[in-house]
Amino acid sequence: MSGEIDFNLGYPSWRAPMMGRNAVATSQPLAAQAGLRMLQLGGNAVDAAIATAMALTVVEPTGNGIGSDAFAIVWDGEQLHALNASGRAPAAWKVEDFAHLSVMPETGWDAVTVPGAVSAWVELAERFGNLPLTTLAQPAIEYARHGFPVSPLIGQLWQRGYNKLRDQPGFSACFAPAGRPPRSGELFRNPHQADSLEKIAASNGEAFYRGELAEKIVAFAREHNAALTLDDLKNHRADWVTLLSRPFAGGSVHELPPNGQGIATLMALGILEQWDIGSYQPDSVDWLHLSIEAMKLALADLDRYIADEDHLEFPAELLLSDAYLQSRAALIDPKKAGDFTFGAPTQSGTVYLSTADASGMMVSFIQSNYMGFGSGVVVPGTGISLQNRGAGFALDKDHPNVVAGGKRPFHTIIPAFALDGDGQPLMSFGLMGGPMQAQGHLQLALRIMLHKQNPQAAIDAPRWRIVAGREVSVEATMDRNTLAALRAMGHKLVVEDPLQSYNFGGAQVIVRDAQGFYIAATESRKDGQALVF
């Protein structure tokens, strides 16, 4: 692909794409170094991904932790594999328990579902890894035990999280032991987390789901009259699943099936194909308008239909049928912004990382607490912060995503992968930021696959994010004349400074060049780093 890639950095940028035969790209430099260290020890891309993910729980606790959920896509050199390691609701949960609420809780034990990230590390290591989990955990353990300097963005997010969650069970004792959160540049240690990571690695995850750590989690839940039980943890499983895909720009884009939102990216791409989106110049008014409208249509269906795959009203593939996408595309007015509702296909902060190695293996991996530090609940003496994925459930009894025991909630976190026209890996990519993720995947796929922009330029380009109805947030770096033209079409634009707002996510991409090396890029607006050798 090297002959086709445009290496012009056409947008405000602070870095260029990195190139090499092995690559790690993620949102925090120390975590990227952990992954690179595994590659230098003879590990493969999966080993690098696991080490990076474990390190991220320590050095970026504002987005993930040991109590996170995770998803992964692996190219093993011949084919793609997909892992859903999101957890399920405690078996005792039922919608009546939340009848006094208008929405699901975002904090505390009532937002906590079974954490799945640890099971992702174990499954990936057992199936594809070369190095033992004890080796992969070592950088994370060292960072936790001996301390790490808090990076600038994470320091800001830490203060925000503290302001919101300081009174949640166990939070301040773990993340503000001095009576305040650490400042940017300050060394922070979490020895209890180091101990927990050691136990998880030595037991291959058993300590977390069935052993000493599981018992501590459940005892703390019982202390606060929470529903989570030892059986909930013991019964957790990560599932290898079949990817959803959509042909695009001479190749194909691949996303995990529900309970995630990746299908919205595929739907939007399919809608845009009906409008011959490749005939428009990137960043032109028409190109942006059509992209925004296509994403609106996809998100309307996402909100109505997507839930745990075992609880869908119909197969998710129906939302990707050519006939259905053609009918949705016909609703777009090329000159006017619209408000869309869901269709009828049948008649009845997160952390992301990408790794690649010289053998050809590539990994797209994402894990998250959901909202910053998650629920705010931290199990005493363990450093285990618990996600708040329960907030992803609906309370409408007629909605497929209604809360229920043993059920997976709707998830925002999604890794992505693209193949070229020969079925060979083109890129591993992802973007953090809740509802921004499917929208970001669309924008990256358009720029890199269709318009051949290099990954750093595609990441640095001004992004947009649909809020609701015709309201769209855009980065302040977008051209002023373009903004005026979009407003004239009826788009209600909110202009935000990308350096002050976290609403546009942080992206990482690794593109595989036809010559066998990789081109890696990461978010220049954030603390991320891409490392290669």
Side-chain angles (χ1 to χ4, degrees):
M1 188 178 174
S2 59
E4 300 176 344
I5 295 177
D6 178 5
F7 282 101
N8 172 49
L9 295 175
Y11 311 96
S13 181
W14 295 268
R15 53 177 71 135
M18 304 294 289
M19 303 181 196
R21 294 194 177 277
N22 300 271
V24 178
T26 194
S27 55
Q28 212 281 349
L30 293 176
Q33 291 174 31
L36 198 64
R37 181 169 152 188
M38 296 305 117
L39 291 168
Q40 291 169 332
L41 287 174
N44 59 25
V46 166
D47 295 314
I50 298 168
T52 302
M54 296 178 86
L56 281 167
T57 69
V58 178
V59 300
E60 194 169 344
T62 53
N64 75 133
I66 295 175
S68 285
D69 278 353
F71 297 83
I73 302 174
V74 178
W75 174 264
D76 67 0
E78 296 182 356
Q79 61 181 323
L80 289 172
H81 306 267
L83 181 67
N84 181 339
S86 63
R88 297 164 177 83
W93 275 13
K94 51 186 181 296
V95 68
E96 290 77 14
D97 296 334
F98 304 94
H100 60 293
L101 301 172
S102 58
V103 295
M104 287 291 292
E106 293 182 358
T107 60
W109 275 105
D110 283 344
V112 178
T113 53
V114 176
V118 170
S119 69
W121 306 340
V122 172
E123 285 284 337
L124 289 167
E126 288 183 343
R127 185 165 183 178
F128 296 110
N130 288 339
L131 301 175
L133 202 58
T134 48
T135 300
L136 304 182
Q138 200 56 42
I141 292 168
E142 292 171 5
Y143 292 146
R145 179 155 292 133
H146 303 301
F148 65 94
V150 176
S151 50
L153 174 62
I154 292 170
Q156 296 175 39
L157 295 176
W158 208 312
Q159 181 67 57
R160 287 190 184 189
Y162 173 77
N163 293 343
K164 176 182 178 181
L165 302 168
R166 68 179 77 182
D167 295 327
Q168 290 302 321
F171 182 87
S172 290
C174 179
F175 291 120
R180 59 164 178 81
R183 301 184 178 97
S184 296
E186 191 172 355
L187 202 67
F188 182 79
R189 296 179 177 85
N190 196 338
H192 291 308
Q193 187 175 5
D195 293 341
S196 292
L197 288 167
E198 280 188 331
K199 291 168 183 171
I200 288 167
S203 68
N204 220 28
E206 286 295 300
F208 188 82
Y209 291 107
R210 294 171 180 82
E212 177 185 347
L213 296 177
E215 291 171 356
K216 287 183 177 181
I217 293 170
V218 171
F220 198 48
R222 191 180 304 115
E223 182 181 330
H224 290 86
N225 298 314
L228 190 71
T229 67
L230 196 57
D231 281 342
D232 290 325
L233 291 171
K234 287 180 178 179
N235 291 335
H236 170 75
R237 70 179 190 278
D239 297 316
W240 294 98
V241 297
T242 302
L243 286 160
L244 297 175
S245 65
R246 179 81 196 174
F248 183 71
S252 57
V253 178
H254 300 255
E255 300 271 2
L256 277 107
N259 54 322
Q261 63 174 321
I263 192 171
T265 299
L266 303 179
M267 292 174 65
L269 289 172
I271 290 169
L272 287 173
E273 282 188 316
Q274 314 304 318
W275 280 92
D276 190 20
I277 191 65
S279 65
Y280 298 87
Q281 287 296 313
D283 301 302
S284 66
V285 173
D286 290 337
W287 184 84
L288 287 164
H289 170 71
L290 291 172
S291 299
I292 291 168
E293 297 299 282
M295 197 74 237
K296 283 184 191 175
L297 286 161
L299 292 178
D301 283 339
L302 185 79
D303 184 62
R304 170 60 182 84
Y305 294 119
I306 299 307
D308 185 333
E309 192 168 26
D310 293 337
H311 296 266
L312 295 177
E313 296 176 9
F314 49 79
E317 289 82 358
L318 289 181
L319 291 167
L320 297 174
S321 71
D322 288 338
Y324 182 63
L325 295 178
Q326 287 168 7
S327 71
R328 298 297 273 164
L331 298 176
I332 295 176
D333 184 330
K335 299 300 181 184
K336 183 180 177 182
D339 288 323
F340 303 113
T341 186
F342 55 87
T346 176
Q347 296 304 310
S348 322
T350 300
V351 293
Y352 173 79
L353 65 95
S354 181
T355 60
D357 65 36
S359 75
M361 179 178 279
M362 299 179 71
V363 180
S364 183
F365 184 97
I366 197 162
Q367 68 184 18
S368 172
N369 282 337
Y370 190 20
M371 299 175 182
F373 282 96
S375 65
V377 176
V378 184
V379 181
T382 68
I384 297 172
S385 60
L386 297 171
Q387 38 85 328
N388 63 333
R389 281 294 166 186
F393 279 119
L395 291 177
D396 179 354
K397 292 182 179 180
D398 296 325
H399 196 288
N401 187 42
V402 64
V403 61
K407 183 178 180 180
R408 281 175 162 146
F410 169 77
H411 253 272
T412 55
I413 61 173
I414 47 172
F417 208 94
L419 301 179
D420 64 19
D422 296 322
Q424 295 301 303
L426 173 65
M427 67 172 172
S428 170
F429 67 109
L431 186 141
M432 302 167 283
M436 178 65 205
Q437 293 181 49
Q439 303 182 53
H441 286 195
L442 172 70
Q443 293 170 63
L444 291 172
L446 287 171
R447 292 183 178 281
I448 297 172
M449 297 180 71
L450 191 61
H451 299 294
K452 310 303 180 186
Q453 291 183 347
N454 76 77
Q456 192 64 58
I459 287 173
D460 291 335
R463 291 198 281 269
W464 48 265
R465 178 179 61 88
I466 294 164
V467 180
R470 287 180 290 148
E471 184 177 340
V472 182
S473 289
V474 297
E475 292 188 311
T477 51
M478 190 173 287
D479 178 76
R480 297 297 176 185
N481 292 328
T482 300
L483 295 178
L486 289 171
R487 284 194 176 102
M489 288 177 152
H491 295 283
K492 297 178 180 179
L493 302 184
V494 178
V495 179
E496 300 182 33
D497 183 344
L499 296 180
Q500 299 300 319
S501 170
Y502 307 108
N503 292 328
F504 299 100
Q508 283 85 39
V509 178
I510 296 179
V511 171
R512 183 181 182 275
D513 186 87
Q515 301 172 85
F517 64 87
Y518 301 103
I519 305 165
T522 190
E523 192 65 55
S524 59
R525 306 164 179 85
K526 314 295 183 188
D527 293 335
Q529 185 170 13
L531 298 176
V532 300
F533 76 92

